[in-house]
Amino acid sequence: ATPAWELDKRPAEPGTWGFRPAKDAVAETNPPAFTWRPEDTAASYDLEVASDRGFETVAYSVEALPWSAHCPDRILEPGAYYWRYRGKNEAGEVSVWSTVRHFVVPPDAVAFPKPALEQLVARIPSQHPRLFMDKVEVVRLQGLAEGRLADRWQALLKQADKLLETPPDTTEPPKYPPGTERKGSEWRRIWWGNRTHGIKAADAAATLAFVYQLSGDQRYGEAARTLLLAVCDWDPKGSTNYRYNDEAAMPLLYLPSRAYTWIYGLLTPEERQRVAAVMRVRGEDCFNSLRGRKHLWQPYSSHHNRAWHKLGELATVFHDVIPEAPAWLDYGMTIFYTCYPVWGDADGGWHEGQAYWLSYLNRFLYWAMAMQVPYGLNAFDKPFFKHAGDFGLYTCPPGTESGAFGDCTNSLSSKKIASFMGQMAAVANNPYWQWYAEQHGDTGPGGYFGFLTAARKHQVESHPPDTLPSSTVFRGTGLAVLNSTLLDGKDNVQVHFKSSPFGTQSHGYNANNAFLLHLRGKRTLIRSGQRDIYGSPHHKEWMWHTKSDNAILVNGEGQYPHTVKSQGEITHFYTSEKFDLVAGEAGDSYETLDRWARRIFFFKPGVIVIHDLLEAPEPSTFQWLLHAKQPFALGTQMLYLKTDAGKLDITFMKPTKLTLSQTSEFDPPPHDWAKLDLKEWHVTAATQAPEKALEFVTVIRMDNIIAPATLAEKESEVSSGGGAVTV
């Protein structure tokens, strides 16, 4: 065909997934996933992969792709390849071919082909149940309920009996009254309250339906039917509509789908049609939101990264009664194979922090289970999942009382992530993650998910991480974690350091080159503030700004807030038994800075030296910031901090004549209604005269951990026995 129109060949912008495989990329998976810029003119796309630049020897081709991303359904022979794509408009006119990009498939790339849509649909049972179990699996689960999982089954029966006695409220959740202040207390009560209200009703239906499926007891099935039909009487365009309140809408994508497939035989044809009609509206709203935001090209919307697999559950159950459902299934599977997880990569890091790592991957485990039954796929074959539990192991060793960077991590103790670590260990067969779970006496989650998880769980050998390095770097997400030990957070000195190519976007908003210090599992030098509600004045104007972090201001101004534009990079990392080093560059994070190299030297376990090199285009003043939960004592070029975990002596070696000041005020503070009782102190060490280039050298010594006099001894040990370290 003669090309009739041009493609948009601009390079990918920040905040997009980009053209993948990128030029000269080495693929981690075989086949690699392909992504390109979506074209408003295109109704479909053609993709070609060849072993020569002239495309005379085509190794793979596919036509009429509905999305601007694709993962082939078969592996490629190891070797060098070239790829290109073109679009086709509604009139059937083709575009020119795209720029040709070269990539390599190495022999050790992980085999990870995506089955074609027709293959996926063919694997879904014609009968119900279809989700997490089929007819054969039901028989196996029934046997386990009478055998090794009898205790779990009895607990599940008690839960179901309680729901029979006291069923949840199924009245339709309210809309916001006219004039409700967005993000105010009344708005928040309804916004989150509608979510919890919907979950209580719909999850009760799913729980009762699961118990019915395994027991055959009509009481549970009829109660589930009553709840399901009541929830499906709610207006899908009302208070639980996806665009009106996606937090309330998302649970109503998957929980009714589970209940429906598990009590399918108890529903009349008319009732099935009622449920399917409502689920069609809910599914279409979610799909349109994903497509409207061009998720395959711009996949950084936080909520969309958990919406797609909930839509996938719905599409699995209703694929043969909702005409659009197969397309939803294909779109969700394409997301998984091409751009999920967007916040992590093969080394296991997670940009948004531990709370969102736990929350989002915990939810994903349902979809991982759904990929097993009915699709026969192992989601954990994807390279990211081989190291996903390392993020928890290194950032929050057992006995650690709180998390680190990112939203909502203040109270995220190691105990709270232990169950998830155990589930990950079972799927990935990782002995260190299993050891982690055992340190907290974890027995796994409860409810029907806990039963299903235990039913799939095999015995994993446990091993303490005493042979692993105590410190690590997650380069893809720009996070280094320096630990003196992984075995017990209560004996640990821990430094977190961030300098990220993801910038300060989404829930990973903390400043580049910022650091944190935990002593004996407790937050000591902290990132300050506490989220009252997402997007509140305190959240946006304090926590999203550099002033809330242990970082540096230039002329009183911080980094580009809450954006991928604020770029950082970890440039050096070294770890040994006695000494760690990490260095980052964050000059591109500022409008008023050419360079900021921060180097952190950790003489284990009790001395930290921080070296900052700053270069500005114009003479500038600099403000070096620290935050803690206790007040500092200010001296001349020195700070003292006493905490329950230990004492800190902080000395500013360079520059001299710094002006030290302290405040406990927030600008702005959290909402009064949040009642956070937030008490934190913020120190500024400010230069006086403007300069274009400046060095800070700061020494932090931890009392009762290492005596100051042994610093020289530690340095000697590193230089003589630990090998050369060059910065």
Side-chain angles (χ1 to χ4, degrees):
T2 302
W5 50 284
E6 292 287 335
L7 292 170
D8 183 347
K9 294 186 178 181
R10 290 174 298 152
E13 305 88 350
T16 63
W17 195 236
F19 295 93
R20 301 194 183 203
K23 179 183 177 183
D24 300 327
V26 178
E28 294 176 343
T29 59
N30 186 359
F34 298 86
T35 302
W36 55 91
R37 183 188 297 279
E39 299 277 342
D40 292 337
T41 308
S44 65
Y45 302 91
D46 302 335
L47 172 69
E48 285 189 351
V49 181
S51 56
D52 64 289
R53 184 174 288 276
F55 286 82
E56 294 181 2
T57 307
V58 175
Y60 179 82
S61 66
V62 61
E63 297 181 345
L65 292 170
W67 330 120
S68 62
H70 177 71
C71 182
D73 61 357
R74 54 186 179 273
I75 63 173
L76 302 173
E77 290 294 325
Y81 291 94
Y82 302 85
W83 72 279
R84 64 183 183 179
Y85 68 93
R86 67 181 179 184
K88 185 178 293 184
N89 63 21
E90 292 286 357
E93 299 169 323
V94 297
S95 73
V96 298
W97 284 104
S98 70
T99 300
V100 174
R101 292 175 172 85
H102 167 262
F103 68 95
V104 175
V105 176
D108 59 351
V110 176
F112 203 61
K114 171 190 171 294
L117 177 59
E118 57 270 20
Q119 295 174 303
L120 292 170
V121 171
R123 297 178 188 183
I124 303 174
S126 58
Q127 297 179 310
H128 292 265
R130 293 173 174 173
L131 205 58
F132 309 149
M133 52 185 169
D134 53 19
K135 291 286 187 183
V136 174
E137 179 68 357
V138 167
V139 174
R140 188 181 79 88
L141 294 176
Q142 289 171 334
L144 290 172
E146 296 176 355
R148 71 174 176 88
L149 297 184
D151 289 345
R152 284 186 176 273
W153 176 246
Q154 290 302 315
L156 197 51
L157 286 174
K158 288 182 180 179
Q159 184 181 353
D161 288 339
K162 188 174 180 180
L163 290 171
L164 291 180
E165 296 172 7
T166 312
D169 180 11
T170 58
T171 56
E172 184 165 359
K175 299 187 81 171
Y176 306 117
T180 302
E181 177 195 356
R182 182 170 173 79
K183 305 291 185 181
S185 59
E186 179 66 6
W187 182 93
R188 183 186 185 280
R189 184 186 66 80
I190 296 173
W191 167 71
W192 197 252
N194 286 3
R195 176 186 185 274
T196 56
H197 182 80
I199 288 175
K200 285 180 181 178
D203 193 51
T207 298
L208 290 162
F210 182 86
V211 172
Y212 163 72
Q213 182 62 230
L214 266 61
S215 69
D217 190 323
Q218 294 283 120
R219 295 177 303 146
Y220 303 121
E222 289 299 330
R225 173 177 165 273
T226 298
L227 290 173
L228 173 63
L229 294 177
V231 169
C232 288
D233 278 340
W234 298 352
D235 181 5
K237 293 293 187 181
S239 61
T240 56
N241 174 258
Y242 193 90
R243 292 193 178 277
Y244 190 79
N245 183 346
D246 64 352
E247 284 288 9
M250 280 190 279
L252 299 181
L253 291 168
Y254 64 95
L255 291 171
S257 300
R258 296 173 189 174
Y260 176 91
T261 195
W262 294 338
I263 60 162
Y264 181 84
L266 295 181
L267 298 169
T268 66
E270 294 75 18
E271 289 168 342
R272 294 170 193 164
Q273 289 178 5
R274 279 175 53 196
V275 175
V278 170
M279 300 309 289
R280 184 179 186 181
V281 174
R282 293 196 180 281
E284 191 69 26
D285 283 343
C286 178
F287 178 69
N288 286 341
S289 182
L290 287 164
R291 288 294 309 278
R293 292 289 296 271
K294 299 180 180 179
H295 187 84
L296 291 166
W297 180 248
Q298 296 172 297
Y300 296 101
S301 169
S302 186
H303 285 196
H304 281 165
N305 278 295
R306 57 183 159 98
W308 66 266
H309 53 79
K310 297 172 181 180
L311 180 64
E313 288 193 38
L314 188 159
T316 299
V317 171
F318 294 97
H319 79 95
D320 52 350
V321 294
I322 297 178
E324 301 84 0
W328 304 342
L329 174 63
D330 188 49
Y331 194 74
M333 283 289 194
T334 300
I335 288 174
F336 174 69
Y337 276 87
T338 61
C339 63
Y340 184 86
V342 68
W343 300 120
D345 61 8
D347 59 16
W350 194 266
H351 166 71
E352 292 192 303
Q354 290 140 284
Y356 280 79
W357 166 82
L358 174 65
S359 174
Y360 278 50
L361 290 182
N362 236 335
R363 290 175 169 92
F364 175 78
L365 288 179
Y366 281 110
W367 182 244
M369 191 176 290
M371 289 183 72
Q372 290 180 324
V373 180
Y375 299 111
L377 302 172
N378 184 5
F380 279 68
D381 285 341
K382 198 161 192 179
F384 165 80
F385 291 102
K386 302 299 182 184
H387 297 284
D390 289 347
F391 188 72
L393 176 66
Y394 278 92
T395 59
C396 203
T400 303
E401 296 182 4
S402 63
F405 291 120
D407 256 343
C408 304
T409 59
N410 287 4
S411 60
L412 193 74
S413 66
S414 61
K415 185 175 182 180
K416 291 185 178 179
I417 71 172
S419 179
F420 173 68
M421 291 288 284
Q423 294 171 66
M424 296 280 281
V427 181
N429 195 29
N430 188 295
Y432 306 115
W433 306 348
Q434 179 64 26
W435 168 87
Y436 189 106
E438 291 176 1
Q439 302 314 294
H440 301 81
D442 171 62
T443 59
Y448 61 84
F449 181 58
F451 186 91
L452 288 168
T453 300
R456 285 161 173 74
K457 192 171 185 178
H458 62 277
Q459 189 64 37
V460 180
E461 181 183 356
S462 171
H463 195 285
D466 51 4
T467 58
L468 296 180
S470 61
S471 304
T472 196
V473 60
F474 301 100
R475 286 193 180 275
T477 48
L479 178 69
V481 190
L482 316 181
N483 294 292
S484 59
T485 179
L486 290 176
L487 300 179
D488 189 350
K490 295 178 181 178
D491 290 333
N492 190 27
V493 177
Q494 183 184 59
V495 178
H496 293 251
F497 178 77
K498 174 192 172 179
S499 199
S500 175
F502 282 89
T504 57
Q505 64 181 310
S506 192
H507 297 284
Y509 49 74
N510 298 101
N512 288 316
N513 278 12
F515 79 96
L516 305 170
L517 176 63
H518 290 180
L519 293 184
R520 298 186 172 95
K522 297 178 181 291
R523 298 170 68 226
T524 306
L525 296 177
I526 65 173
R527 53 100 173 148
S528 65
Q530 187 170 339
R531 190 176 93 179
D532 42 12
I533 190 170
Y534 183 86
S536 71
H538 175 70
H539 195 224
K540 290 171 60 177
E541 297 169 30
W542 178 268
M543 299 182 71
W544 290 1
H545 282 256
T546 310
K547 62 186 177 183
S548 68
D549 287 307
N550 300 320
I552 293 177
L553 305 179
V554 183
N555 297 321
E557 298 295 327
Q559 300 173 12
Y560 302 112
H562 206 237
T563 174
V564 69
K565 185 179 179 180
S566 186
Q567 284 287 291
E569 179 190 7
I570 291 180
T571 58
H572 298 78
F573 176 77
Y574 172 88
T575 184
S576 68
E577 182 181 352
K578 298 181 179 180
F579 173 77
D580 288 344
L581 160 71
V582 64
E585 174 57 54
D588 289 342
S589 300
Y590 295 79
E591 185 177 1
T592 56
L593 207 57
D594 292 331
R595 183 190 187 196
W596 176 23
R598 168 164 275 183
R599 300 153 173 184
I600 296 182
F601 305 84
F602 182 22
F603 298 90
K604 299 178 182 179
V607 174
I608 296 168
V609 178
I610 302 175
H611 182 210
D612 296 298
L613 291 166
L614 298 121
E615 296 176 6
E618 302 292 339
S620 304
T621 60
F622 302 92
Q623 297 79 40
W624 205 97
L625 308 179
L626 278 181
H627 306 269
K629 295 191 295 179
Q630 299 83 14
F632 295 84
L634 277 56
T636 302
Q637 296 286 123
M638 298 188 73
L639 302 172
Y640 307 91
L641 182 67
K642 183 178 180 180
T643 75
D644 293 341
K647 300 176 183 178
L648 298 183
D649 292 346
I650 303 167
T651 304
F652 296 99
M653 309 294 290
K654 291 182 67 175
T656 58
K657 298 181 180 180
L658 290 169
T659 300
L660 304 184
S661 60
Q662 178 172 216
T663 180
S664 59
E665 299 297 318
F666 294 93
D667 181 22
H671 275 295
D672 291 339
W673 53 257
K675 297 179 180 178
L676 294 175
D677 192 27
L678 190 60
K679 294 181 180 178
E680 296 174 352
W681 280 261
H682 324 291
V683 160
T684 300
T687 62
Q688 299 176 13
E691 298 184 59
K692 291 183 67 173
L694 190 72
E695 284 184 88
F696 282 91
V697 178
T698 310
V699 179
I700 302 174
R701 298 178 294 194
M702 286 151 267
D703 190 30
N704 300 328
I705 295 176
I706 184 170
T710 64
L711 175 57
E713 179 185 341
K714 282 289 179 183
E715 291 173 332
S716 175
E717 288 176 358
V718 171
S719 62
S720 62
V725 180
T726 302
V727 182

